Short mmCIF file of all heavy atoms in Angstrom, two decimals:
data_model
loop_
_atom_site.label_atom_id
_atom_site.label_comp_id
_atom_site.label_asym_id
_atom_site.label_seq_id
_atom_site.Cartn_x
_atom_site.Cartn_y
_atom_site.Cartn_z
N GLY A 1185 -0.81 -75.40 1.06
CA GLY A 1185 -2.10 -75.09 0.45
C GLY A 1185 -1.96 -74.50 -0.92
O GLY A 1185 -0.86 -74.38 -1.48
N SER A 1186 -3.10 -74.12 -1.50
CA SER A 1186 -3.16 -73.60 -2.85
C SER A 1186 -3.91 -72.28 -2.90
O SER A 1186 -4.76 -71.99 -2.06
CB SER A 1186 -3.84 -74.60 -3.79
OG SER A 1186 -3.12 -75.81 -3.87
N LEU A 1187 -3.59 -71.51 -3.93
CA LEU A 1187 -4.25 -70.24 -4.15
C LEU A 1187 -4.20 -69.97 -5.66
O LEU A 1187 -3.22 -70.33 -6.32
CB LEU A 1187 -3.54 -69.14 -3.39
CG LEU A 1187 -4.32 -67.90 -2.94
CD1 LEU A 1187 -5.48 -68.29 -2.02
CD2 LEU A 1187 -3.38 -66.94 -2.21
N ARG A 1188 -5.24 -69.33 -6.16
CA ARG A 1188 -5.27 -68.97 -7.58
C ARG A 1188 -5.43 -67.46 -7.71
O ARG A 1188 -6.41 -66.89 -7.24
CB ARG A 1188 -6.42 -69.68 -8.29
CG ARG A 1188 -6.45 -69.45 -9.81
CD ARG A 1188 -7.57 -70.26 -10.46
NE ARG A 1188 -7.65 -70.04 -11.90
CZ ARG A 1188 -6.96 -70.74 -12.80
NH1 ARG A 1188 -6.15 -71.71 -12.42
NH2 ARG A 1188 -7.11 -70.48 -14.11
N LEU A 1189 -4.46 -66.83 -8.35
CA LEU A 1189 -4.50 -65.40 -8.62
C LEU A 1189 -5.03 -65.15 -10.02
O LEU A 1189 -4.75 -65.92 -10.93
CB LEU A 1189 -3.12 -64.78 -8.47
CG LEU A 1189 -2.36 -65.02 -7.18
CD1 LEU A 1189 -1.03 -64.28 -7.21
CD2 LEU A 1189 -3.19 -64.60 -5.97
N SER A 1190 -5.75 -64.05 -10.18
CA SER A 1190 -6.24 -63.66 -11.49
C SER A 1190 -5.89 -62.21 -11.75
O SER A 1190 -5.78 -61.41 -10.82
CB SER A 1190 -7.75 -63.86 -11.59
OG SER A 1190 -8.09 -65.23 -11.52
N CYS A 1191 -5.73 -61.88 -13.01
CA CYS A 1191 -5.45 -60.52 -13.44
C CYS A 1191 -6.35 -60.19 -14.61
O CYS A 1191 -6.30 -60.87 -15.64
CB CYS A 1191 -3.98 -60.38 -13.82
SG CYS A 1191 -3.53 -58.82 -14.59
N ALA A 1192 -7.18 -59.19 -14.45
CA ALA A 1192 -8.07 -58.74 -15.51
C ALA A 1192 -7.46 -57.53 -16.20
O ALA A 1192 -7.13 -56.54 -15.55
CB ALA A 1192 -9.44 -58.38 -14.93
N ALA A 1193 -7.30 -57.63 -17.50
CA ALA A 1193 -6.68 -56.57 -18.29
C ALA A 1193 -7.72 -55.85 -19.13
O ALA A 1193 -8.67 -56.44 -19.63
CB ALA A 1193 -5.60 -57.15 -19.19
N SER A 1194 -7.50 -54.55 -19.31
CA SER A 1194 -8.34 -53.75 -20.19
C SER A 1194 -7.49 -52.68 -20.85
O SER A 1194 -6.46 -52.28 -20.32
CB SER A 1194 -9.51 -53.12 -19.44
OG SER A 1194 -9.05 -52.26 -18.41
N GLY A 1195 -7.92 -52.23 -22.02
CA GLY A 1195 -7.23 -51.17 -22.71
C GLY A 1195 -5.96 -51.60 -23.44
O GLY A 1195 -5.26 -50.75 -24.00
N ILE A 1196 -5.68 -52.88 -23.46
CA ILE A 1196 -4.48 -53.42 -24.09
C ILE A 1196 -4.88 -54.42 -25.17
O ILE A 1196 -5.94 -55.04 -25.07
CB ILE A 1196 -3.55 -54.08 -23.05
CG1 ILE A 1196 -2.16 -54.34 -23.64
CG2 ILE A 1196 -4.16 -55.36 -22.49
CD1 ILE A 1196 -1.13 -54.76 -22.60
N ILE A 1197 -4.03 -54.54 -26.18
CA ILE A 1197 -4.24 -55.57 -27.20
C ILE A 1197 -3.80 -56.88 -26.57
O ILE A 1197 -2.67 -57.34 -26.74
CB ILE A 1197 -3.46 -55.25 -28.48
CG1 ILE A 1197 -3.79 -53.84 -28.99
CG2 ILE A 1197 -3.77 -56.29 -29.56
CD1 ILE A 1197 -2.97 -53.40 -30.17
N PHE A 1198 -4.70 -57.50 -25.83
CA PHE A 1198 -4.37 -58.60 -24.94
C PHE A 1198 -3.81 -59.81 -25.66
O PHE A 1198 -2.85 -60.43 -25.21
CB PHE A 1198 -5.59 -59.00 -24.11
CG PHE A 1198 -5.30 -60.03 -23.07
CD1 PHE A 1198 -4.79 -59.65 -21.83
CD2 PHE A 1198 -5.51 -61.37 -23.32
CE1 PHE A 1198 -4.51 -60.61 -20.86
CE2 PHE A 1198 -5.24 -62.33 -22.37
CZ PHE A 1198 -4.73 -61.95 -21.14
N SER A 1199 -4.40 -60.17 -26.80
CA SER A 1199 -4.00 -61.38 -27.49
C SER A 1199 -2.56 -61.34 -27.98
O SER A 1199 -1.97 -62.39 -28.24
CB SER A 1199 -4.94 -61.66 -28.67
OG SER A 1199 -4.88 -60.63 -29.63
N LYS A 1200 -2.00 -60.16 -28.12
CA LYS A 1200 -0.62 -60.00 -28.59
C LYS A 1200 0.38 -59.78 -27.45
O LYS A 1200 1.59 -59.78 -27.68
CB LYS A 1200 -0.52 -58.81 -29.55
CG LYS A 1200 -1.36 -58.96 -30.81
CD LYS A 1200 -0.79 -60.00 -31.74
CE LYS A 1200 -1.54 -60.02 -33.07
NZ LYS A 1200 -0.97 -61.04 -33.99
N ALA A 1201 -0.11 -59.61 -26.25
CA ALA A 1201 0.75 -59.24 -25.12
C ALA A 1201 1.35 -60.46 -24.42
O ALA A 1201 0.67 -61.47 -24.24
CB ALA A 1201 -0.04 -58.40 -24.12
N THR A 1202 2.59 -60.33 -24.02
CA THR A 1202 3.18 -61.27 -23.09
C THR A 1202 2.75 -60.86 -21.68
O THR A 1202 2.90 -59.70 -21.30
CB THR A 1202 4.71 -61.28 -23.19
OG1 THR A 1202 5.09 -61.82 -24.46
CG2 THR A 1202 5.32 -62.14 -22.09
N MET A 1203 2.22 -61.81 -20.94
CA MET A 1203 1.73 -61.54 -19.59
C MET A 1203 2.67 -62.16 -18.56
O MET A 1203 3.18 -63.26 -18.76
CB MET A 1203 0.32 -62.08 -19.41
CG MET A 1203 -0.69 -61.53 -20.41
SD MET A 1203 -0.85 -59.73 -20.33
CE MET A 1203 -1.51 -59.52 -18.66
N ARG A 1204 2.86 -61.45 -17.45
CA ARG A 1204 3.82 -61.88 -16.45
C ARG A 1204 3.25 -61.73 -15.04
O ARG A 1204 2.40 -60.90 -14.78
CB ARG A 1204 5.11 -61.05 -16.54
CG ARG A 1204 5.74 -61.05 -17.92
CD ARG A 1204 6.99 -60.16 -17.94
NE ARG A 1204 7.50 -60.00 -19.30
CZ ARG A 1204 8.34 -60.84 -19.89
NH1 ARG A 1204 8.79 -61.91 -19.25
NH2 ARG A 1204 8.74 -60.61 -21.13
N TRP A 1205 3.78 -62.55 -14.13
CA TRP A 1205 3.57 -62.37 -12.71
C TRP A 1205 4.90 -62.13 -12.04
O TRP A 1205 5.86 -62.87 -12.26
CB TRP A 1205 2.90 -63.60 -12.09
CG TRP A 1205 1.46 -63.74 -12.41
CD1 TRP A 1205 0.89 -64.51 -13.36
CD2 TRP A 1205 0.38 -63.06 -11.75
NE1 TRP A 1205 -0.47 -64.39 -13.36
CE2 TRP A 1205 -0.81 -63.50 -12.37
CE3 TRP A 1205 0.31 -62.15 -10.69
CZ2 TRP A 1205 -2.07 -63.05 -11.97
CZ3 TRP A 1205 -0.94 -61.69 -10.31
CH2 TRP A 1205 -2.10 -62.14 -10.93
N TYR A 1206 4.96 -61.08 -11.24
CA TYR A 1206 6.10 -60.76 -10.41
C TYR A 1206 5.68 -60.84 -8.95
O TYR A 1206 4.50 -60.81 -8.63
CB TYR A 1206 6.61 -59.34 -10.69
CG TYR A 1206 7.42 -59.17 -11.97
CD1 TYR A 1206 6.81 -59.21 -13.21
CD2 TYR A 1206 8.79 -58.94 -11.90
CE1 TYR A 1206 7.55 -59.04 -14.37
CE2 TYR A 1206 9.54 -58.75 -13.05
CZ TYR A 1206 8.91 -58.81 -14.28
OH TYR A 1206 9.65 -58.62 -15.41
N ARG A 1207 6.67 -60.93 -8.07
CA ARG A 1207 6.36 -60.84 -6.65
C ARG A 1207 7.46 -60.06 -5.94
O ARG A 1207 8.61 -60.00 -6.39
CB ARG A 1207 6.18 -62.22 -6.01
CG ARG A 1207 7.44 -63.05 -5.88
CD ARG A 1207 7.10 -64.45 -5.37
NE ARG A 1207 8.28 -65.26 -5.16
CZ ARG A 1207 8.25 -66.57 -4.93
NH1 ARG A 1207 7.08 -67.21 -4.88
NH2 ARG A 1207 9.38 -67.24 -4.73
N GLN A 1208 7.08 -59.47 -4.82
CA GLN A 1208 8.02 -58.69 -4.03
C GLN A 1208 7.71 -58.89 -2.55
O GLN A 1208 6.64 -58.50 -2.07
CB GLN A 1208 7.95 -57.21 -4.39
CG GLN A 1208 8.98 -56.35 -3.69
CD GLN A 1208 9.02 -54.94 -4.23
OE1 GLN A 1208 8.09 -54.49 -4.89
NE2 GLN A 1208 10.11 -54.24 -3.98
N GLY A 1209 8.64 -59.52 -1.83
CA GLY A 1209 8.51 -59.69 -0.40
C GLY A 1209 9.06 -58.49 0.33
O GLY A 1209 9.71 -57.62 -0.27
N PRO A 1210 8.83 -58.40 1.65
CA PRO A 1210 9.33 -57.27 2.44
C PRO A 1210 10.84 -57.13 2.33
O PRO A 1210 11.59 -58.09 2.57
CB PRO A 1210 8.91 -57.62 3.87
CG PRO A 1210 7.76 -58.57 3.70
CD PRO A 1210 8.09 -59.36 2.47
N GLY A 1211 11.30 -55.95 1.97
CA GLY A 1211 12.73 -55.69 1.87
C GLY A 1211 13.42 -56.27 0.66
O GLY A 1211 14.65 -56.17 0.54
N ASN A 1212 12.67 -56.89 -0.24
CA ASN A 1212 13.25 -57.52 -1.43
C ASN A 1212 12.87 -56.77 -2.69
O ASN A 1212 11.91 -56.02 -2.74
CB ASN A 1212 12.80 -58.97 -1.54
CG ASN A 1212 13.29 -59.85 -0.42
OD1 ASN A 1212 14.39 -59.63 0.10
ND2 ASN A 1212 12.48 -60.82 -0.03
N GLN A 1213 13.66 -57.01 -3.74
CA GLN A 1213 13.34 -56.45 -5.04
C GLN A 1213 12.27 -57.29 -5.74
O GLN A 1213 12.07 -58.45 -5.40
CB GLN A 1213 14.59 -56.37 -5.91
CG GLN A 1213 15.64 -55.40 -5.41
CD GLN A 1213 16.77 -55.21 -6.39
OE1 GLN A 1213 16.53 -54.98 -7.58
NE2 GLN A 1213 17.99 -55.30 -5.91
N ARG A 1214 11.60 -56.69 -6.68
CA ARG A 1214 10.59 -57.38 -7.43
C ARG A 1214 11.23 -58.47 -8.30
O ARG A 1214 12.22 -58.22 -8.99
CB ARG A 1214 9.81 -56.39 -8.29
CG ARG A 1214 8.46 -56.88 -8.74
CD ARG A 1214 7.62 -55.74 -9.31
NE ARG A 1214 7.25 -54.77 -8.28
CZ ARG A 1214 6.41 -53.76 -8.48
NH1 ARG A 1214 5.85 -53.59 -9.67
NH2 ARG A 1214 6.12 -52.94 -7.49
N LEU A 1215 10.66 -59.67 -8.25
CA LEU A 1215 11.20 -60.84 -8.92
C LEU A 1215 10.19 -61.39 -9.92
O LEU A 1215 9.01 -61.55 -9.59
CB LEU A 1215 11.54 -61.92 -7.90
CG LEU A 1215 11.90 -63.33 -8.41
CD1 LEU A 1215 13.27 -63.30 -9.08
CD2 LEU A 1215 11.88 -64.32 -7.26
N SER A 1216 10.66 -61.68 -11.11
CA SER A 1216 9.80 -62.31 -12.11
C SER A 1216 9.55 -63.77 -11.73
O SER A 1216 10.49 -64.53 -11.53
CB SER A 1216 10.45 -62.23 -13.50
OG SER A 1216 9.64 -62.87 -14.47
N VAL A 1217 8.29 -64.15 -11.64
CA VAL A 1217 7.89 -65.49 -11.23
C VAL A 1217 7.50 -66.35 -12.41
O VAL A 1217 7.91 -67.52 -12.52
CB VAL A 1217 6.73 -65.43 -10.21
CG1 VAL A 1217 6.22 -66.82 -9.89
CG2 VAL A 1217 7.19 -64.72 -8.94
#
């Protein structure tokens, strides 16, 4: 299946920022996706 995640940002100069998604499963370290 499919899913769409969204992230709303505020208080940051958004247009200049690099944006990232990370994930962390149970017992695992956070991984850059």
Side-chain angles (χ1 to χ4, degrees):
S1186 297
L1187 208 59
R1188 185 176 179 88
L1189 307 182
S1190 294
C1191 172
S1194 61
I1196 194 170
I1197 306 174
F1198 186 84
S1199 63
K1200 299 289 187 180
T1202 293
M1203 303 300 296
R1204 306 178 188 273
W1205 286 98
Y1206 283 73
R1207 70 186 183 191
Q1208 185 171 18
N1212 295 327
Q1213 294 188 48
R1214 200 167 293 188
L1215 170 71
S1216 178
V1217 174

